[in-house]
Coordinates of all heavy atoms in Angstrom, one line a residue:
A86 N -60.8 39.3 -147.6 CA -60.7 38.1 -146.7 C -62.1 37.8 -146.2 O -62.9 38.8 -145.8 CB -59.7 38.4 -145.5
S87 N -62.4 36.5 -146.0 CA -63.7 36.1 -145.3 C -63.5 34.8 -144.6 O -62.7 34.0 -145.1 CB -64.8 36.1 -146.4 OG -64.5 35.1 -147.3
V88 N -64.3 34.6 -143.7 CA -64.4 33.3 -143.0 C -65.8 32.9 -142.9 O -66.7 33.6 -142.7 CB -63.9 33.4 -141.6 CG1 -63.9 32.1 -140.8 CG2 -62.5 34.0 -141.5
K89 N -66.0 31.6 -143.2 CA -67.4 31.0 -143.0 C -67.3 29.7 -142.2 O -66.5 28.8 -142.6 CB -67.9 30.7 -144.4 CG -69.4 30.2 -144.4 CD -69.9 29.8 -145.8 CE -71.3 29.2 -145.7 NZ -71.7 28.7 -147.1
I90 N -68.1 29.7 -141.2 CA -68.2 28.5 -140.4 C -69.7 27.8 -140.4 O -70.6 28.6 -140.2 CB -67.9 28.9 -138.9 CG1 -66.4 29.3 -138.8 CG2 -68.0 27.6 -137.9 CD1 -66.1 30.0 -137.4
D91 N -69.7 26.6 -140.7 CA -71.1 25.9 -140.6 C -71.4 25.9 -139.1 O -70.7 25.3 -138.4 CB -71.0 24.5 -141.2 CG -70.7 24.5 -142.7 OD1 -70.9 25.6 -143.3 OD2 -70.5 23.4 -143.3
A92 N -72.6 26.5 -138.8 CA -73.0 26.5 -137.4 C -73.1 25.2 -136.7 O -72.7 25.0 -135.6 CB -74.3 27.4 -137.3
V93 N -73.6 24.3 -137.4 CA -73.7 22.9 -136.8 C -72.5 22.2 -136.7 O -72.4 21.1 -136.1 CB -74.8 22.0 -137.5 CG1 -76.2 22.6 -137.5 CG2 -74.4 21.8 -139.0
S94 N -71.4 22.7 -137.3 CA -70.1 22.0 -137.1 C -69.4 22.4 -135.8 O -68.3 21.8 -135.5 CB -69.1 22.5 -138.3 OG -68.5 23.8 -138.0
L95 N -70.0 23.3 -135.0 CA -69.5 23.6 -133.7 C -69.7 22.3 -132.8 O -70.9 22.0 -132.6 CB -70.1 24.8 -133.0 CG -69.6 26.1 -133.6 CD1 -70.4 27.2 -133.1 CD2 -68.2 26.4 -133.4
K96 N -68.7 21.7 -132.3 CA -68.8 20.4 -131.5 C -68.1 20.6 -130.2 O -67.0 21.1 -130.2 CB -68.2 19.3 -132.3 CG -68.8 19.0 -133.7 CD -70.2 18.5 -133.6 CE -70.7 18.2 -135.1 NZ -72.1 17.7 -135.0
S97 N -68.8 20.2 -129.2 CA -68.1 20.3 -127.8 C -66.9 19.4 -127.8 O -66.8 18.3 -128.3 CB -69.2 19.7 -126.8 OG -68.5 19.5 -125.5
T98 N -65.8 19.9 -127.1 CA -64.5 19.2 -126.9 C -64.7 18.0 -125.9 O -63.9 17.2 -125.8 CB -63.5 20.1 -126.6 OG1 -63.8 20.8 -125.2 CG2 -63.0 21.1 -127.6
K99 N -65.9 18.0 -125.2 CA -66.1 16.9 -124.3 C -67.0 15.8 -125.0 O -67.4 14.9 -124.4 CB -66.9 17.5 -123.1 CG -66.1 18.5 -122.3 CD -66.9 18.8 -121.0 CE -66.2 20.0 -120.2 NZ -64.8 19.7 -119.7
N100 N -67.2 16.0 -126.3 CA -68.0 15.0 -127.1 C -69.3 14.8 -126.5 O -69.8 13.7 -126.3 CB -67.2 13.6 -127.1 CG -66.0 13.7 -128.0 OD1 -66.0 14.4 -129.0 ND2 -64.9 13.1 -127.5
S101 N -70.0 15.9 -126.1 CA -71.3 15.8 -125.5 C -72.4 16.2 -126.6 O -72.5 17.4 -127.0 CB -71.4 16.8 -124.3 OG -72.8 17.0 -123.9
D102 N -73.3 15.3 -127.0 CA -74.3 15.6 -127.9 C -75.3 16.6 -127.3 O -75.8 17.4 -128.0 CB -75.1 14.3 -128.3 CG -74.3 13.3 -129.1 OD1 -73.3 13.8 -129.7 OD2 -74.6 12.1 -129.1
L103 N -75.5 16.4 -126.0 CA -76.5 17.4 -125.3 C -75.9 18.8 -125.4 O -76.6 19.7 -125.8 CB -76.7 17.0 -123.9 CG -77.7 17.9 -123.2 CD1 -79.0 18.0 -123.8 CD2 -77.8 17.3 -121.7
M104 N -74.6 18.9 -125.1 CA -74.0 20.3 -125.2 C -74.1 20.8 -126.7 O -74.3 22.0 -126.9 CB -72.6 20.1 -124.8 CG -71.7 21.4 -125.0 SD -72.2 22.7 -123.9 CE -70.9 23.9 -124.3
D105 N -73.8 20.0 -127.7 CA -73.9 20.4 -129.1 C -75.4 20.8 -129.4 O -75.5 21.9 -130.1 CB -73.4 19.2 -130.0 CG -72.0 18.9 -129.8 OD1 -71.3 19.7 -129.3 OD2 -71.6 17.8 -130.3
E106 N -76.3 20.0 -129.0 CA -77.7 20.4 -129.3 C -78.0 21.8 -128.6 O -78.7 22.6 -129.3 CB -78.7 19.4 -128.7 CG -78.7 18.1 -129.5 CD -79.6 17.1 -128.8 OE1 -80.4 17.5 -128.0 OE2 -79.4 15.9 -129.1
R107 N -77.7 22.0 -127.4 CA -77.8 23.3 -126.8 C -77.1 24.5 -127.5 O -77.7 25.6 -127.6 CB -77.4 23.3 -125.3 CG -78.4 22.5 -124.5 CD -77.9 22.1 -123.1 NE -78.8 21.4 -122.3 CZ -78.6 20.9 -121.1 NH1 -77.3 21.0 -120.6 NH2 -79.5 20.4 -120.4
T108 N -75.9 24.2 -127.9 CA -75.1 25.3 -128.6 C -75.8 25.6 -129.9 O -76.0 26.8 -130.2 CB -73.7 24.8 -128.9 OG1 -73.1 24.5 -127.7 CG2 -72.9 25.7 -129.8
H109 N -76.2 24.6 -130.7 CA -76.8 24.8 -132.0 C -78.2 25.5 -131.9 O -78.6 26.4 -132.6 CB -77.0 23.5 -132.7 CG -75.7 22.8 -133.0 ND1 -75.6 21.5 -133.3 CD2 -74.4 23.3 -133.0 CE1 -74.4 21.1 -133.4 NE2 -73.6 22.2 -133.3
S110 N -79.0 25.2 -130.8 CA -80.3 25.8 -130.5 C -80.0 27.3 -130.1 O -80.7 28.2 -130.6 CB -80.9 25.1 -129.4 OG -82.1 25.8 -129.0
T111 N -79.0 27.5 -129.3 CA -78.7 28.9 -128.8 C -78.3 29.9 -129.9 O -78.7 31.0 -129.9 CB -77.5 28.8 -127.7 OG1 -77.9 28.0 -126.7 CG2 -77.2 30.3 -127.3
I112 N -77.5 29.4 -130.9 CA -77.1 30.2 -132.1 C -78.1 30.1 -133.3 O -77.7 30.6 -134.3 CB -75.7 29.9 -132.4 CG1 -75.5 28.4 -133.0 CG2 -74.7 30.2 -131.3 CD1 -74.1 28.2 -133.5
K113 N -79.2 29.4 -133.0 CA -80.2 29.3 -134.1 C -79.7 28.8 -135.4 O -80.0 29.2 -136.5 CB -80.9 30.7 -134.3 CG -81.4 31.3 -133.0 CD -81.8 32.8 -133.3 CE -82.1 33.5 -132.0 NZ -82.2 34.9 -132.1
A114 N -79.0 27.7 -135.2 CA -78.3 27.1 -136.4 C -79.2 26.5 -137.4 O -78.9 26.5 -138.6 CB -77.4 25.9 -135.9
D115 N -80.4 26.1 -137.0 CA -81.4 25.6 -138.0 C -81.9 26.7 -139.0 O -82.1 26.5 -140.1 CB -82.6 24.9 -137.2 CG -83.3 25.9 -136.2 OD1 -82.7 26.8 -135.8 OD2 -84.4 25.7 -136.0
K116 N -82.1 27.9 -138.4 CA -82.5 29.1 -139.1 C -81.3 29.8 -139.9 O -81.4 30.4 -141.0 CB -83.3 30.0 -138.3 CG -84.0 31.2 -138.9 CD -84.9 31.9 -138.0 CE -85.7 33.0 -138.8 NZ -86.5 33.9 -137.9
Y117 N -80.2 29.9 -139.1 CA -79.0 30.6 -139.6 C -77.8 29.7 -139.7 O -77.1 29.5 -138.7 CB -78.8 31.8 -138.8 CG -79.8 32.8 -138.6 CD1 -80.6 32.8 -137.4 CD2 -80.3 33.6 -139.7 CE1 -81.6 33.7 -137.3 CE2 -81.3 34.4 -139.6 CZ -82.1 34.5 -138.4 OH -83.1 35.3 -138.3
P118 N -77.7 28.9 -140.8 CA -76.7 27.9 -140.9 C -75.2 28.3 -140.9 O -74.3 27.4 -140.7 CB -77.1 27.2 -142.1 CG -77.7 28.1 -143.1 CD -78.5 29.0 -142.1
S119 N -74.9 29.6 -141.0 CA -73.5 30.0 -141.2 C -73.2 31.1 -140.2 O -74.0 32.0 -139.9 CB -73.2 30.5 -142.5 OG -73.3 29.5 -143.4
I120 N -72.0 31.0 -139.7 CA -71.3 32.1 -138.9 C -70.3 32.7 -139.8 O -69.5 31.9 -140.4 CB -70.7 31.6 -137.6 CG1 -71.7 31.0 -136.6 CG2 -69.9 32.7 -136.9 CD1 -71.1 30.2 -135.6
S121 N -70.2 34.0 -140.0 CA -69.3 34.5 -141.0 C -68.6 35.8 -140.5 O -69.1 36.5 -139.6 CB -70.0 34.8 -142.3 OG -70.9 35.8 -142.2
Y122 N -67.4 36.0 -141.1 CA -66.7 37.2 -140.9 C -66.2 37.7 -142.2 O -65.6 37.0 -143.0 CB -65.5 37.1 -139.8 CG -64.8 38.4 -139.6 CD1 -65.3 39.3 -138.5 CD2 -63.7 38.9 -140.3 CE1 -64.8 40.4 -138.3 CE2 -63.2 40.0 -140.0 CZ -63.6 40.9 -138.9 OH -63.1 42.1 -138.7
V123 N -66.5 39.1 -142.6 CA -66.1 39.6 -143.8 C -65.2 40.8 -143.6 O -65.7 41.8 -142.9 CB -67.3 39.9 -144.8 CG1 -66.9 40.5 -146.1 CG2 -68.1 38.7 -145.0
F124 N -64.0 40.8 -144.0 CA -63.1 41.9 -143.9 C -63.6 43.1 -144.6 O -64.1 42.9 -145.8 CB -61.6 41.4 -144.4 CG -60.8 42.6 -144.7 CD1 -59.9 43.2 -143.8 CD2 -60.7 43.0 -146.0 CE1 -59.1 44.2 -144.1 CE2 -59.8 44.1 -146.4 CZ -59.0 44.7 -145.4
T125 N -63.4 44.3 -144.0 CA -63.7 45.5 -144.8 C -62.6 46.5 -145.0 O -62.4 47.0 -146.0 CB -64.9 46.3 -144.0 OG1 -64.6 46.6 -142.7 CG2 -66.2 45.5 -144.1

């Protein structure tokens, strides 16, 4: 089993572009475009 999330697809539920920019910057979405989970 595996899960892959596009990091820049994380969007604020308040529809805030500023919040989205801060989120993407915090998780380094430009350098690491994916968040993933791989079952072992």
